[in-house]
Amino acid sequence: MALIGIGLGSNLGDRLNNLRSAVWWLENEGFCIKSRSDVFETPPFGVEDQPYFLNACLLADFFEGPHEILRRLKDIEVKLGRKPRLRWGPREIDLDILFIDNLVLNDEDLVIPHPRLHERPFVIVPLAQICPKWRHPLLGLTIEELCKDIDTTSIIRITNL
């Protein structure tokens, strides 16, 4: 069993329902949700000419390995209507593995921890709510410490997940 940090994002359709539906699917796919962040509205990252996102993070236990976790997340995205589009472009749902315990993995299909986790306020702010003491295995910094180094002024708490 591994503790997994999962990032959720949506900026198309009923954004809040998309996030909540993803949580429902995760639970039905065998993920044991341990903690949920609040939902935050955040500006788009990468491609700026698109709607604002709703973002949240979860901590979950799961009994399969990293590649099976990734497969299940991608399957859930398809079930929730995600369509192939421009990288960093608009999407109905986005589910990302942020970390798995203290695992460091870098292969052609998957990089763990997420390679840009520490650069993204829309990930760091919700993670700070649910696992402020988790230490990035490559950077040696906690989420709490990473939060001090990013601009969080454009992130607005919306509701509970």
Side-chain angles (χ1 to χ4, degrees):
M1 179 172 57
L3 183 65
I4 307 152
I6 301 173
L8 298 87
S10 176
N11 75 337
L12 291 178
D14 184 342
R15 300 173 302 164
L16 184 57
N17 186 59
N18 292 346
L19 297 182
R20 290 179 172 161
S21 294
V23 172
W24 185 89
W25 275 106
L26 286 163
E27 290 175 325
N28 282 278
E29 287 287 327
F31 290 84
C32 179
I33 308 296
K34 297 295 187 185
S35 188
R36 306 170 189 215
S37 75
D38 289 333
V39 176
F40 296 86
E41 187 169 57
T42 64
F45 186 88
V47 177
E48 294 180 7
D49 186 21
Q50 61 179 317
Y52 272 48
F53 278 82
L54 291 187
N55 290 99
C57 290
L58 302 173
L59 295 180
D61 285 334
F62 194 66
F63 294 94
E64 300 283 343
H67 291 91
E68 179 61 16
I69 294 167
L70 178 63
R71 186 190 71 74
R72 293 206 188 193
L73 295 184
K74 295 305 167 196
D75 285 350
I76 292 168
E77 288 179 346
V78 170
K79 287 174 184 173
L80 291 174
R82 181 163 177 176
K83 300 185 179 31
R85 292 190 180 90
L86 175 70
R87 182 177 179 165
W88 295 332
R91 60 207 90 150
E92 294 80 6
I93 190 70
D94 186 33
L95 301 173
D96 288 326
I97 300 171
L98 302 174
F99 62 83
I100 300 174
D101 288 327
N102 292 315
L103 176 68
V104 175
L105 174 69
N106 190 349
D107 68 26
E108 63 275 359
D109 299 320
L110 189 55
V111 178
I112 298 173
H114 192 287
R116 291 169 297 284
L117 174 155
H118 61 287
E119 301 170 352
R120 296 180 168 178
F122 62 87
V123 170
I124 295 296
V125 169
L127 277 181
Q129 285 188 325
I130 59 176
C131 60
K133 301 299 183 192
W134 179 79
R135 189 170 298 278
H136 193 293
L138 297 173
L139 301 176
L141 298 171
T142 65
I143 293 297
E144 195 171 54
E145 291 166 331
L146 290 170
C147 200
K148 293 176 184 174
D149 293 332
I150 58 170
D151 179 8
T152 62
T153 56
S154 63
I155 297 187
I156 301 167
R157 183 195 170 278
I158 299 297
T159 188
N160 298 325
L161 183 59

